[in-house]
């Protein structure tokens, strides 16, 4: 066999291992079970804000059979770091204020130096919508050694702990929650004695670029951090999804967060590892009741989202970068090239192995496309999307070595620390 055929068979072998030996990462069945109270309204259009717009009453007619709920509900404080989020806040904050939670809960929004009136808009929305009590606070500019989001979380968590909550819900300002979201998170944590419960919010998928890039983003994340491995009694991986994290307060104190991870760009993975080091139990799954309302209509916005942290994920290591690029080429790019080139040249082994690997790749992507309610013809396009991610990762490394590092919301972290892998 020639080089192309060997590469095609190497790719096919890699896919056989990924499908069977990487925690069944391609399956999408790691979800929070519902409670006896029910699941709120039936989900409408993908990515639509709760109730359609700010303060609209949700429909709570759809119920499901489920497990028993706690008889005593703990106090919860929701902490929302927000910087220049006036564009999405009317779609997200009312959903938090409208939480149907049987216990005592309140919301703290930390206005992290916004210039678009985020804090004032939050106060206005709370006055108009009612619901859970809202406090708006500002921490000032971050001290040296802190990334902006973690600095805001530090301030918000300190204010929250003064209220004596048993749990903290850390959620981003672009995340909309259905009315029973907090109830489900707390119920799952209490019933399973979990210290951190996190859900990967369903990201917006409306534009063509979002359709190509967003489901693949979650697919690649699950491939890197298989949810089953994270959720095992003896875990083999550790991660969280920063948009929606329910954290036990005493565990946060024991883990020393956020101080212990203050330089992290990939703050959710760093948070999960700090909790795990402190002996905490973690669960991560896909969300059905939590949506991101942030639009990424063009490739540029999506590119910046990935590139700002991709090299940090590789611990700013050139050898890891080279290995990642080589792996992406062999696993995702070789199959279609081998199929087309092999068929054109009459190279049957290369064409057969490349076609089989491409079919395995596309088939593994189908469950994620179904989760996002996307057409299945996108599955064979995964090699193209992987090539985009390869370019984004290389660009992330170039930015880092030029001293620009991770840039987000007007702030640049030239030499941020990677998430510690301990």
């Amino acid at each position: 066999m020639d080089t192309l055929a060997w590469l095609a068979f190497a790719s096919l072998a890699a896919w056989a291992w990924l499908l069977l030996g990487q925690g069944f990462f391609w399956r999408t069945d790691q979800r929070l079970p519902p409670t006896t109270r029910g699941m709120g309204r039936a989900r409408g259009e993908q990515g639509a804000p709760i109730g359609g717009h700010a303060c609209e009453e949700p429909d709570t007619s759809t119920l499901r059979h489920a497990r028993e709920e706690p008889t005593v509900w703990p106090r919860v404080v929701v902490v929302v770091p927000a910087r220049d989020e006036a564009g999405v806040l009317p779609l997200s904050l009312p959903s938090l204020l409208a939480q149907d939670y049987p216990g005592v809960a309140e919301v703290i929004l930390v206005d992290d130096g916004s210039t678009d009136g985020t804090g004032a808009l939050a106060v206005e929305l709370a006055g108009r919508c009612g619901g859970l009590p809202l406090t708006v606070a500002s921490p000032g500019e971050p001290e040296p050694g802190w990334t902006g989001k973690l600095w805001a979380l530090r301030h918000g968590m300190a204010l929250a702990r003064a209220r004596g909550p048993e749990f903290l819900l850390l959620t981003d300002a672009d995340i909309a929650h259905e009315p029973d979201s907090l109830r489900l998170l707390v119920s799952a944590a209490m019933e399973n004695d979990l210290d951190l419960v996190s859900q990967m919010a369903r990201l917006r998928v409306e534009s063509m670029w979002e359709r190509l890039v967003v489901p693949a983003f979650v697919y690649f994340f699950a491939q890197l951090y298989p949810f089953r491995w994270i959720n095992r009694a003896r875990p083999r991986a550790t991660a969280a999804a920063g948009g929606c994290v329910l954290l036990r307060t005493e565990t946060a104190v024991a883990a020393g967060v956020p101080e212990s991870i203050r330089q992290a760009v990939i703050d959710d993975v760093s948070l999960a590892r700090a909790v795990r080091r402190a002996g905490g139990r973690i669960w991560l799954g896909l969300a059905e009741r939590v949506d991101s309302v942030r639009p990424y209509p063009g490739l540029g916005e999506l590119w910046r989202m990935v590139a700002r942290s991709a090299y940090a994920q590789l611990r700013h290591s050139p050898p890891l970068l080279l290995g990642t690029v080589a792996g992406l080429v062999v696993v995702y790019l070789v199959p279609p090239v081998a199929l087309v080139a092999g068929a054109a040249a009459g190279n049957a082994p290369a064409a057969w192995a490349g076609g089989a690997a491409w079919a395995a790749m596309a088939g593994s992507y189908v469950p994620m496309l179904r989760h996002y309610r996307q057409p299945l013809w996108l599955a064979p396009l995964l090699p193209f999307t992987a090539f985009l991610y390869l370019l984004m990762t290389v660009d992330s490394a170039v930015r880092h070595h030029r001293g620009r590092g991770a840039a987000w919301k007007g702030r640049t972290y030239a030499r941020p620390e990677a998430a510690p892998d301990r």
Side-chain angles (χ1 to χ4, degrees):
M1 292 192 299
D2 61 9
T3 301
L4 183 61
W6 279 114
L7 286 172
F9 275 101
S11 182
L12 181 58
W15 275 107
W17 178 80
L18 285 170
L19 293 177
L20 300 176
Q22 189 66 5
F24 295 101
F25 75 93
W26 44 273
R27 297 184 61 176
T28 58
D29 56 354
Q30 296 294 290
R31 315 283 182 90
L32 281 181
T35 65
T36 52
R37 175 70 179 225
M39 294 293 290
R41 70 168 174 85
R43 181 178 296 278
E45 181 182 351
Q46 153 61 30
I50 305 306
H53 57 79
C55 307
E56 183 173 323
E57 287 296 323
D59 174 15
T60 57
S61 60
T62 303
L63 303 177
R64 295 186 187 176
H65 298 292
R67 66 177 188 269
E68 293 295 326
E69 291 187 324
T71 55
V72 179
W73 292 87
R75 178 186 290 266
V76 180
V77 176
V78 182
V79 180
V80 185
R83 178 174 171 82
D84 292 334
E85 298 286 13
V88 297
L89 213 59
L91 304 178
S92 59
L93 183 59
S95 74
L96 285 171
L97 301 176
Q99 284 300 296
D100 178 20
Y101 184 66
V104 177
E106 61 180 296
V107 180
I108 296 176
L109 184 138
V110 185
D111 183 6
D112 182 20
S114 299
T115 60
D116 65 350
T118 290
L121 177 59
V123 173
E124 177 189 337
L125 289 169
R128 190 194 323 161
C129 300
L132 299 182
L134 173 71
T135 300
V136 176
S138 179
E141 283 299 304
E143 292 180 356
W146 285 83
T147 57
K149 179 181 176 180
L150 289 170
W151 176 251
L153 280 177
R154 173 183 180 268
H155 189 71
M157 291 171 69
L159 292 175
R161 284 196 293 266
R163 273 80 161 171
E166 187 173 338
F167 287 98
L168 303 168
L169 175 60
L170 313 179
T171 184
D172 289 347
D174 64 337
I175 302 298
H177 295 251
E178 299 233 10
D180 54 3
S181 172
L182 181 58
R183 174 194 293 268
L184 290 169
L185 286 163
V186 171
S187 179
M190 294 185 68
E191 181 167 311
N192 297 282
D193 193 25
L194 295 168
D195 297 282
L196 186 153
V197 181
S198 181
Q199 293 188 94
M200 177 70 73
R202 200 188 300 254
L203 305 177
R204 199 190 88 140
V205 179
E206 294 183 12
S207 72
M208 189 60 220
W209 284 114
E210 287 172 335
R211 293 174 188 274
L212 280 171
V213 175
V214 167
F217 177 83
V218 182
Y219 172 88
F220 292 142
F221 184 91
Q223 188 178 83
L224 188 61
Y225 301 106
F227 295 171
R228 275 182 171 74
W229 284 2
I230 293 168
N231 299 338
R232 290 174 51 174
R234 295 182 178 180
R236 296 179 59 186
T238 303
C244 178
V245 176
L246 184 76
L247 177 63
R248 200 177 292 269
T249 306
E250 64 179 1
T251 304
V253 173
V257 294
E259 288 79 5
S260 62
I261 59 170
R262 61 186 177 274
Q263 288 185 302
V265 172
I266 310 174
D267 53 88
D268 44 13
V269 176
S270 297
L271 171 62
R273 288 173 176 165
V275 168
R276 188 83 82 187
R277 288 195 300 272
R281 296 188 60 207
I282 290 173
W283 185 93
L284 171 64
L286 294 172
E288 293 181 304
R289 317 292 292 162
V290 180
D291 297 305
S292 172
V293 296
R294 186 182 304 283
Y296 292 98
L299 179 59
E301 295 92 344
L302 290 162
W303 191 290
R304 286 188 290 272
M305 178 190 74
V306 175
R308 72 187 179 95
S309 60
Y311 196 43
Q313 184 62 65
L314 300 177
R315 304 171 206 157
H316 307 108
S317 167
L320 279 178
L321 174 65
L322 291 174
T324 298
V325 169
L328 287 171
V329 169
V330 171
V331 173
Y332 288 99
L333 304 187
V334 164
V337 171
L339 174 60
V340 174
N347 187 339
W352 177 87
W358 196 359
M361 178 198 318
S364 72
Y365 193 35
V366 166
M368 189 61 69
L369 289 174
R370 285 178 172 164
H371 173 66
Y372 272 91
R373 299 179 178 86
Q374 296 304 302
L376 300 189
W377 58 261
L378 289 170
L381 299 183
L382 188 57
F384 173 72
T385 304
F387 179 63
L388 289 178
Y389 273 87
L390 185 156
L391 296 178
M392 294 172 190
T393 302
V394 172
D395 182 48
S396 179
V398 170
R399 295 183 187 200
H400 173 80
H401 287 290
R402 287 180 176 175
R404 289 184 289 161
W408 192 249
K409 295 291 182 77
R411 291 182 178 139
T412 300
Y413 309 104
R415 301 288 181 185
E417 295 294 328
D421 190 13
R422 297 195 297 273

